[in-house]
């Protein structure tokens, strides 16, 4: 990893990429999302303060555990005067994110456990299908595949007989 002399207080995007392990395009993306900040030189080149290294490390660590960028940006915005996150900040935020991660793990386990429920049907329209319709509002009214009225109207305009997937009146899976 290239070393940057201590006397250099600002980094080019290439230096920040080399030191952080993030691609230049990722750094540009992080900047567009307000996660890191740069100033522009008279030649319109980006210059990042050295503390951007810690912010990029923070963002990447949070992403690795599945925290959405919106949540990361909100966490960084809560820090006083945009300061770089400390070890204490990470500990506090990771405690608050733990319940969110636990809930996602629970949802993924539920999806994994129900994966085979839909394979026999093939249309993913079972009454209890947690894959295609986890809140299954239509399933409470009736079984089988149902599409929105807008899609049915556009399909009917084509002049051909609607398929089972296009017409809720055509039974699905022997309904």
């Amino acid at each position: 990893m290239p070393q940057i002399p201590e006397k250099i207080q600002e980094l080019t995007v290439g230096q920040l990429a080399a030191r952080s392990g993030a691609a230049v395009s990722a750094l540009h993306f992080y900047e567009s999302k307000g996660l890191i900040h740069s100033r522009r030189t008279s030649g319109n080149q980006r210059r990042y303060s050295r503390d951007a290294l810690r912010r990029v490390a923070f963002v990447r660590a949070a992403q690795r555990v599945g925290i959405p960028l919106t949540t990361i940006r909100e966490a960084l915005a809560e820090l006083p005067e945009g300061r770089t996150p400390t070890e204490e900040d990470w500990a506090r935020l990771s405690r608050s994110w733990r319940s969110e991660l636990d809930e996602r793990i629970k949802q993924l386990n539920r999806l994994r456990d129900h994966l085979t429920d839909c394979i026999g049907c093939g249309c993913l329209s079972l009454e209890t299908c947690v894959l295609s319709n986890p809140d299954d509002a239509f399933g409470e009214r009736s079984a089988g595949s149902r599409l929105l009225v807008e899609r049915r109207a556009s399909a009917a305009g084509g002049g051909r007989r609607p398929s089972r997937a296009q017409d809720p009146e055509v039974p699905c899976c022997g309904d």
Side-chain angles (χ1 to χ4, degrees):
M1 177 178 311
Q3 294 298 314
I4 299 169
E6 286 296 317
K7 64 182 178 182
I8 297 176
Q9 295 304 311
E10 291 186 316
L11 308 173
T12 66
V13 70
Q15 290 170 322
L16 182 58
R19 288 291 308 271
S20 68
V24 170
S25 60
L27 296 173
H28 291 171
F29 179 75
Y30 291 164
E31 189 171 354
S32 75
K33 296 300 180 185
L35 299 166
I36 59 175
H37 306 283
S38 69
R39 74 168 185 86
R40 296 293 181 130
T41 67
S42 60
N44 202 30
Q45 295 175 331
R46 289 177 169 94
R47 292 294 184 263
Y48 297 91
S49 61
R50 291 179 72 88
D51 66 344
L53 280 168
R54 182 173 291 276
R55 289 179 77 88
V56 170
F58 178 89
V59 169
R60 292 178 56 132
Q63 281 186 297
R64 272 194 292 279
V65 296
I67 304 299
L69 285 178
T70 304
T71 305
I72 298 168
R73 183 179 56 241
E74 290 166 1
L76 289 170
E78 289 178 15
L79 298 177
E81 297 179 29
R83 83 169 154 74
T84 301
T86 64
E87 189 176 331
E88 293 80 26
D89 293 326
W90 180 258
R92 178 179 49 80
L93 290 167
S94 63
R95 280 191 304 274
S96 70
W97 291 338
R98 185 177 182 87
S99 62
E100 181 182 332
L101 291 173
D102 287 342
E103 182 57 34
R104 271 196 263 156
I105 290 168
K106 187 173 150 184
Q107 289 173 348
L108 287 170
N109 283 331
R110 189 170 42 247
L111 284 171
R112 181 203 57 216
D113 295 344
H114 288 60
L115 181 62
T116 57
D117 291 351
C118 291
I119 290 175
C121 171
C123 72
L124 301 175
S125 66
L126 297 174
E127 268 182 49
T128 59
C129 183
V130 296
L131 295 176
S132 67
N133 193 3
D135 298 321
D136 203 7
F138 289 114
E140 294 173 9
R141 289 186 247 152
S142 64
S145 178
R146 305 289 184 267
L147 296 177
L148 296 176
V149 175
E150 295 86 20
R151 289 185 76 185
R152 182 176 176 220
S154 67
R160 39 171 221 212
R161 184 179 180 276
S163 71
R164 173 167 65 201
Q166 295 169 324
D167 188 347
E169 300 305 319
V170 177
C172 177
C173 304
D175 292 307

